[in-house]
Amino acid sequence: MSFVLRICSCVVFLCTWVAFLCACEGNASKISNTGVEESTYVLQSGIGTDAATSLEGQPVMRKGYNPQMDFAYDEHDDVDIDENYVGSLCGEATKELETMFGPAEFYVTAESNEDDSYTIDVYYNEKAASFSDDEVEQIRMYINQEYKEVRLSEINIQGW
């Protein structure tokens, strides 16, 4: 009888230990995959306004720009600031703005000034979306971050 009790207690102990390890491993994988506590940054103006509804009248969830989610590394290390580089940034900014503030269509251009600075023009389709003052400020912050190696003289944001 003593032998059977030992076997049962070992089985219970092993099952408990396996359950504990599985629980610890699950928590460890969640922490290691994210690395940091993630926060969601969602902007939504009041439902029923042009800024919060699409053309079909459906509510729009905009991700917006969150400067705290920028990466710490410098992805533009050791680059020559020329027309080609600034043009590639315009294409990158167009895609990112459409991702952050969809369903608006964006078009980003850069004009070179005489003093080696650039004027950035951000155009968006007014019929597809309108933006609150907070969202316009987020667009400005994103452009300043994206063009951090480029000397900017002005950022214009307007609809077409």
Side-chain angles (χ1 to χ4, degrees):
M1 190 68 157
S2 160
F3 179 74
V4 174
L5 285 174
R6 281 188 216 170
I7 297 275
C8 289
S9 64
C10 285
V11 169
V12 170
F13 176 77
L14 286 175
C15 290
T16 306
W17 185 248
V18 168
F20 175 76
L21 287 177
C22 288
C24 289
E25 184 178 325
N27 288 338
S29 66
K30 286 180 187 175
I31 292 169
S32 65
N33 285 344
T34 59
V36 294
E37 181 180 332
E38 294 183 16
S39 64
T40 306
Y41 194 77
V42 177
L43 278 179
Q44 183 177 8
S45 302
I47 293 177
T49 65
D50 289 338
T53 57
S54 67
L55 292 176
E56 295 82 26
Q58 299 297 320
V60 174
M61 295 299 287
R62 293 183 178 148
K63 185 169 68 171
Y65 173 68
N66 185 356
Q68 296 163 344
M69 295 302 285
D70 276 341
F71 295 105
Y73 69 90
D74 187 3
E75 65 183 67
H76 306 292
D77 265 345
D78 301 326
V79 294
D80 294 327
I81 309 298
D82 60 4
E83 297 288 328
N84 291 332
Y85 175 71
V86 174
S88 70
L89 288 179
C90 290
E92 214 175 292
T94 298
K95 291 176 194 171
E96 286 298 317
L97 287 171
E98 286 177 353
T99 299
M100 288 186 275
F101 297 100
E105 300 170 52
F106 285 90
Y107 182 67
V108 180
T109 63
E111 297 174 33
S112 178
N113 299 322
E114 293 175 7
D115 62 351
D116 292 330
S117 67
Y118 287 85
T119 299
I120 306 299
D121 295 311
V122 178
Y123 300 101
Y124 64 92
N125 185 347
E126 287 180 329
K127 294 177 183 170
S130 62
F131 299 104
S132 67
D133 291 340
D134 187 42
E135 290 171 323
V136 170
E137 186 58 32
Q138 287 181 36
I139 294 170
R140 283 188 194 287
M141 288 187 321
Y142 169 74
I143 294 296
N144 280 319
Q145 176 64 29
E146 186 66 30
Y147 290 82
K148 63 186 168 196
E149 294 86 11
V150 179
R151 201 172 88 195
L152 300 179
S153 60
E154 190 174 358
I155 300 172
N156 300 317
I157 303 171
Q158 57 191 356
W160 80 74

